[in-house]
Amino acid sequence: MSNTIAIVPAAGRGVRMGSDRPKQFLELSGKSILAHTLDALAGLPFLGGALLVVPEGFMEEAAGLARCCARPERFPISVVAGGAQRQDSVFNGLSNLPEDCEWVLIHDGVRPFASPKLMEETWREARRAGACIAALPATDTVKRVEDGRVLQTLRREEIWLVQTPQVFRRDILMNAYLEARRGGWTGTDDASFVERCGIPVSVVRGERLNIKVTIPEDLDLAAWFLSRSARCGAKENRGVCP
Ligand code: C5P
């Protein structure tokens, strides 16, 4: 079995989506957003399985979903309960990894469209460097704003918008998370803790279509993207099909 395991944080409440059900369980073209994400991960030959992290009350539903998406021989999926913040959920995942796992690929449950190419590029660079994330250079100008007033305009050339996948050597990530817990650090991605430990993190270019389904408009965009893929008959066809 491959020694890379995916942790899929999917324990958010989806407050920004404004729906009763967490956004990862909302349906998109016949199956949940989370099922799309898991199916994509299950097709990656360099992964040995996944740990799915869901809200406490969704363990049973997630186990059913995992049974559908898993390929029992090659890609087992286990389910664990998440925590209050994303970092608590990922830590629960990290604490439940199989012993022989040496590399961890973290991918948000609500990013169903990351391509296999992006997953593999991030993984390959992490295997070389120890830690790697996918990110996109900002195309909009970014400002710091407080109470409706601009505080500062940031240098756009230096701004990258961070996505998942993020891949790490297991010991690097676990140590960083333990430091974060000891120091009371908070962070909205995994690499931020590794960075705070002074460990270099590589970046590969992410994808515009690798959206994080967060607000209702994202669902429309995601549905459009799926119908377009179906029409064009190929995920490989991105960027070419009208
Ligand atoms: O909230 P955010 O947009 O950063 O969520 C990114 C991913 O982290 C989502 O897939 C969400 O379900 C997950 N998450 C989690 N546990 C939380 C909050 C978010 O697993 N407590």
Side-chain angles (χ1 to χ4, degrees), residues 9-12 16 23-24 53 83-86 89 108-110 188 212:
R16 286 166 291 180
K23 59 194 170 187
Q24 56 276 27
V53 193
Q85 305 298 327
R86 183 185 183 280
S89 298
D108 290 332
V110 289
T188 49
K212 184 168 71 169

Side-chain angles (χ1 to χ4, degrees), residues 8-225:
V8 183
R13 297 275 158 198
V15 175
R16 286 166 291 180
M17 186 60 81
S19 104
D20 292 343
R21 274 169 80 68
K23 59 194 170 187
Q24 56 276 27
F25 293 100
L26 296 181
E27 199 178 298
L28 192 62
S29 304
K31 60 183 181 185
S32 67
I33 293 173
L34 191 50
H36 284 284
T37 306
L38 290 175
D39 277 343
L41 290 170
L44 299 174
F46 56 88
L47 287 184
L51 257 168
L52 174 58
V53 193
V54 297
E56 200 89 57
F58 286 79
M59 297 282 285
E60 226 168 89
E61 181 163 347
L65 203 144
R67 273 194 296 280
C68 294
C69 300
R71 319 215 165 138
E73 292 304 303
R74 205 197 61 71
F75 196 81
I77 303 178
S78 343
V79 181
V80 297
Q85 305 298 327
R86 183 185 183 280
Q87 67 189 76
D88 305 313
S89 298
V90 172
F91 185 73
N92 286 357
L94 280 172
S95 309
N96 283 282
L97 286 170
E99 220 158 85
D100 59 352
C101 163
E102 290 174 53
W103 295 86
V104 183
L105 179 150
I106 305 201
H107 189 56
D108 290 332
V110 289
R111 289 189 190 266
F113 302 132
S115 74
K117 180 167 169 285
L118 177 62
M119 296 281 193
E120 185 169 345
E121 269 173 20
T122 316
W123 177 74
R124 279 196 190 287
E125 175 56 19
R127 297 282 294 217
R128 193 194 63 75
C132 180
I133 62 174
L136 271 180
T139 51
D140 291 332
T141 298
V142 181
K143 296 181 193 274
R144 291 182 50 233
V145 175
E146 201 174 83
D147 297 331
R149 290 186 53 182
V150 172
L151 295 181
Q152 190 190 3
T153 302
L154 305 180
R155 277 171 46 80
R156 189 167 65 187
E157 305 75 54
E158 292 176 358
I159 304 296
W160 287 62
L161 305 177
V162 171
Q163 306 181 336
T164 64
Q166 302 197 350
V167 184
F168 306 90
R169 224 173 61 209
R170 176 193 187 162
D171 60 330
I172 291 179
L173 189 61
M174 191 57 176
N175 289 339
Y177 260 90
L178 290 172
E179 281 300 317
R181 288 175 87 80
R182 270 193 288 271
W185 305 344
T186 56
T188 49
D189 80 337
D190 310 290
S192 56
F193 304 132
V194 174
E195 293 153 30
R196 275 186 83 161
C197 292
I199 293 168
V201 176
S202 290
V203 178
V204 297
R205 189 172 279 254
E207 295 170 332
R208 285 195 85 97
L209 288 175
N210 180 19
I211 60 168
K212 184 168 71 169
V213 181
T214 306
I215 56 173
E217 288 89 330
D218 295 338
L219 271 180
D220 296 337
L221 205 61
W224 167 81
F225 174 61

